[in-house]
């Protein structure tokens, strides 16, 4: 209100945080996810690199803040993999994605980001790189075994299809199905994706 | 070239076809897929309704022409369901979608349509309606049994995820996988989607 905002250096913590976020956003959009280092952002923002760790924890955290992500897929995945036993991972993953997108505080912002990525080339590249680096690759590493990257990619493709169908295109009936109904239909697909084609058991009867 | 294009009524067949296509495009974008009748397009274009049947066969065909679709999902599905035996429907469906999107003559145009649908509200509604009316609903009717609409929607969501991941976001490894590799990973997912959760057999071991 009565605080004068001069042209000099930022003085308090909120300004420092914002300066870092602004520098990170520019760097990510210009250079992509892989090329950005915490060191380069610290230099751009003219702050000590330790401050970035203090405010954002990691590159993932900085990325989420830079894009003002209300729900950071990388951090959601990390949480999912850390907690609980792994046998119900597909179901917990489906619930986590649905929760983030159904929530009126986070869903609309995620949708807006997805829409912009469709027409904004550098945002689309950034989204691709972060999904590859922070979701598909870690999940593949965890799965192990033959075809692990392809199985992780199939898993990611189902999630992408769920989000695009339910929230972007709003296709019926998937847009109007209850959370429980979506979870019931998507969980077996996610499980099948993680198992991969080598562990498919074909039904004896015709499929359609 | 030397033909004068006056302001009077169109004279030849190419002009008539184009007049119908233009009228249909306006109608579809204004009114959506459901509300458009061949009769209303014929009236707008000032032609006999029989001419629309002659040029385009059906509302599906007219829609494909109006959006200059190089590969019309509704017609691809109709072809798929007409031909062959149904046990390999998931694999044939996967191959058909990949063929349309990998083909340099049709893929870029489909991608451009998808990108525009992300930011153009009326195009997005139109795409939703045509997928519901011409893909999800006919597939659900064919499947029959409990949850048929949800199973058809899950099938459609996987295809949407495949297309979005491989062609729009170009996520690795799914963007760089060979057609055969994608078919091998996606076909069991499509089969599982059509069977639905009632016919899932969970593996005894942990999934991740």
């Amino acid at each position: 209100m009565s605080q004068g905002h001069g042209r000099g250096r930022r003085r308090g913590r909120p300004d420092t945080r914002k300066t870092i976020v602004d520098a990170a956003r520019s760097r990510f959009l210009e250079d992509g996810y892989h090329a950005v280092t915490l060191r380069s952002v610290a230099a751009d923002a003219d702050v000590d690199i330790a401050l970035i760790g203090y405010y954002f924890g990691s590159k993932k955290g900085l990325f989420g803040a830079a894009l003002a992500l209300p729900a950071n897929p990388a951090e959601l995945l990390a949480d999912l993999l850390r907690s609980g036993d792994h046998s119900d991972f597909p179901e917990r993953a489906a619930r986590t994605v649905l929760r983030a997108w159904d929530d009126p505080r986070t869903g609309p912002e995620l949708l807006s980001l997805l829409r912009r990525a469709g027409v904004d080339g550098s945002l689309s590249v950034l989204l691709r790189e972060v999904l590859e680096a922070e979701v598909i690759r870690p999940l593949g590493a965890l799965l192990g075994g033959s075809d692990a990257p392809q199985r992780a990619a199939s898993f990611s493709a189902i999630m992408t299809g769920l989000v695009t169908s339910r929230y972007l295109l709003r296709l019926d009936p998937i847009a109007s199905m209850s959370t429980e109904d979506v979870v019931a239909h998507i969980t077996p697909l996610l499980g099948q994706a993680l198992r991969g084609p080598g562990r498919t058991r074909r039904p004896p009867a015709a499929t359609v």
Side-chain angles (χ1 to χ4, degrees), chain A residues 30-89:
Chain A
E30 265 172 47
D31 302 343
Y33 189 74
H34 298 307
V36 170
T37 61
L38 298 192
R39 188 168 305 282
S40 65
V41 173
D44 287 357
D46 193 17
V47 300
D48 191 286
I49 191 170
L51 266 183
I52 299 188
Y54 170 76
Y55 281 122
F56 306 100
S58 64
K59 185 166 166 179
K60 285 198 288 289
L62 181 60
F63 174 80
L67 264 71
L69 283 184
N72 187 337
E75 298 199 320
L76 292 179
L77 179 69
D79 287 347
L80 273 170
L81 295 177
R82 235 190 332 264
S83 63
D85 87 294
H86 283 170
S87 64
D88 63 350
F89 173 77

Side-chain angles (χ1 to χ4, degrees), chain A residues 25 55 60-62 71 82 102 123 140 151-152 157 160 173 175 186 197 203 205:
Chain A
R25 185 182 304 114
Y55 281 122
K60 285 198 288 289
L62 181 60
R82 235 190 332 264
D102 279 330
L123 189 58
R151 284 147 55 210
T160 304
I186 293 296

